Amino acid sequence: MDPARTSAQRDGVTLARRALGPAGARNRGGSASTAADPTSRRPAAYRCGVANTWIIGIDLRERSEGAACFAAWLQRQAPDATRLLALHAIEEGALDEHLQLAGLVRTRERLRLAVERALEQADVRAAFAGIEVVDGVDPVTALETALQAERARGLIVGRRTVGTGMQLVRLGRVARRLLRRLPAPTFVVPPDWQAGALGAGPIVVAVTPAEASIGAVKVAQALGAATRRPIEFIHVVPTSPIYAALSPPGGGHPDRDARQLAEVAALMRTWLAQQNASGQLTVRRGDEFDEILAVVAERAAPLLVCGSRQLSLSERAFGLSLSSELAARAPIPVLVVPSDASA
């Protein structure tokens, strides 16, 4: 058994028990985020399925507050067409002792009230059409079940670290596994995100002229229309460390580099036209991660959209994919989109 995981599970049980405490206290502890039970009762709006339903994974610790606040902002952009469902999962065995004393029905209800209080403390409860608590399930499996049952548009989850934190574990277990499986467009939101810090610029979309970016382009266009924000595409021509060492700042062949970037820009515009996409295009050379975040900062982007190549486990052994790295460290919400997603 993994001692680190055992310790994390023990901490989760302690936090969840705190969440079941007095009703007047703010409940920030809890079990792992999110889930859905297709057999449980739901608001009528969810039983029939809504095209723009977003499922928000709620972990009663602080890491979910940014996700809840961002979801509420998204709902305010199109209140008549967007529905939010908050989901909290109790992993199997997490509350066995409490369940023996209080019973499953009572425990579910008390956790539901804890989630409701957390949303009220964040001043976003009114944005949510429903709250559900389910038990005995793996959070990621529960989220995938919810997507199918609700015919939802996508997921919104929090991550572990704030801002551009450099901690070893930045995403958290649930967010990391969701991005690996990517069952639907998935927002990953910094835990300290606040609407007051929302950038006034365009939605930035990182693209390559390949299948991995097709879904991101489609979803970004629809998101831009819903939020009334322009779209700016960014494509980065990767520069190897060897190239960078041989071409220090102020050196190299600026005319040749400019011609190459112009050629790449022409190819990218042709590809975007084939996707029926409209928006400004920026092409840069350098490190993909650094250049994308530089554009995000320069444009005061409210959010970032990217596709995913969905690397295999063996490929991920050499490091996070670009989309996961952006989701883990970007200072703004990042929407990672599967290639086959539709607008």
Side-chain angles (χ1 to χ4, degrees), residues 180 309-322:
R180 186 176 298 161
R309 290 182 293 148
Q310 304 212 235
L311 301 179
S312 65
L313 285 175
S314 60
E315 290 172 318
R316 288 177 183 272
F318 295 97
L320 289 175
S321 66
L322 177 62

Side-chain angles (χ1 to χ4, degrees), residues 38-119:
T39 63
S40 63
R41 291 188 302 168
R42 295 190 174 88
Y46 286 94
R47 287 200 298 269
C48 63
V50 176
N52 282 323
T53 293
W54 290 88
I55 298 173
I56 296 79
I58 298 296
D59 183 320
L60 291 173
R61 289 165 286 190
E62 287 87 345
R63 69 181 63 172
S64 288
E65 184 167 322
C69 291
F70 174 73
W73 173 82
L74 194 63
Q75 194 270 343
R76 288 196 297 272
Q77 308 313 299
D80 295 331
T82 306
R83 296 293 181 269
L84 306 180
L85 176 62
L87 294 170
H88 178 76
I90 313 170
E91 291 192 79
E92 186 175 5
L95 294 176
D96 283 349
E97 294 179 19
H98 187 90
L99 291 174
Q100 291 175 6
L101 296 174
L104 179 58
V105 174
R106 185 180 175 189
T107 298
R108 276 182 176 173
E109 179 59 18
R110 293 181 71 181
L111 274 172
R112 191 194 68 77
L113 291 174
V115 173
E116 186 155 16
R117 286 195 296 272
L119 295 176

Side-chain angles (χ1 to χ4, degrees), residues 290-315:
D290 291 340
E291 294 298 334
I292 290 170
L293 288 194
V295 170
V296 163
E298 292 165 12
R299 307 295 192 266
L303 55 97
L304 171 65
V305 182
C306 62
S308 174
R309 290 182 293 148
Q310 304 212 235
L311 301 179
S312 65
L313 285 175
S314 60
E315 290 172 318

Side-chain angles (χ1 to χ4, degrees), residues 242-282:
I242 295 176
Y243 180 95
L246 293 175
S247 303
H253 302 82
D255 292 340
R256 184 186 65 187
D257 289 349
R259 286 196 302 271
Q260 289 176 343
L261 289 181
E263 292 171 0
V264 172
L267 291 172
M268 284 303 307
R269 289 191 182 92
T270 299
W271 184 83
L272 288 169
Q274 292 171 348
Q275 313 311 316
N276 297 316
S278 60
Q280 183 175 335
L281 171 66
T282 296

